Amino acid sequence: RLNLSELIGEMIDFCESMAERDNVGIVFEQPADLPAVRGDKIQLEQVLLNLIVNAIEASASTDQEETATVTISVKPHANNQLRVEVDDQGQGVSESDMSRLFDRFFSTKETGLGMGLAISRSLVENLEGELWAENIPAGGARFSNKDAQTVFVIDDDTDVRDSLKWLLESVGLNVQTYENALAFFEGFDSNVSGCIVMDVRMPGLSGINAQKK
């Protein structure tokens, strides 16, 4: 499990000198009691670093009298997920560019390679999350990503449950385990979406009959 606040803080520290050079301040709106998340630390670092650097470059100003701000926030999302938002104070993204923003080799920067956002989206999707962009009414652009979906493992064999839990968590997925189908229906939160991995033959309510419910 990863401490998301610490991870974001480390990336902000890494980008601080660049932000100061471009006359940009970085604000982290950190909620209290932020839960730990599952994911690959190196991949998440790469995504966060790319989004923060892009936001700084978009907000860069030569006006020493007025400092632009990049705002990073973490908010609850649907289905027990977290959403990370990176807001800049640049010119925003044109409607024609928005549809191509995550395409490989497309860049809105003169010297850009057009790979950063494409790779970032691939990394986020590899962790079963999402990455998207939108313009902010007050000006600038917002890039958001949310963490992994949930897999529900239902099996009466403890060794199978534990093995599947370890395997799925190792690739960054959230996992909830249940010893039988009845326990799943009693403890399942209908507000949480995801997929089910279930044994067919179990005592009580079989996997086949559970699907009919």
Side-chain angles (χ1 to χ4, degrees), residues 168-180:
L168 293 167
E169 288 182 344
S170 71
V171 295
L173 294 171
N174 297 319
V175 182
Q176 294 182 17
T177 60
Y178 299 89
E179 62 183 355
N180 54 55

Side-chain angles (χ1 to χ4, degrees), residues 144-156:
S144 308
N145 72 80
K146 62 179 185 173
D147 65 357
Q149 293 283 339
T150 299
V151 178
F152 305 98
V153 176
I154 308 172
D155 199 298
D156 60 311

Side-chain angles (χ1 to χ4, degrees), residues 54-55 58-59 69-71 86-92 136 139-143:
N54 282 355
S59 306
T69 302
V70 168
T71 304
V86 181
D87 295 3
D88 65 50
Q89 289 188 327
Q91 298 179 351
I136 304 171
R142 169 179 296 154
F143 288 81

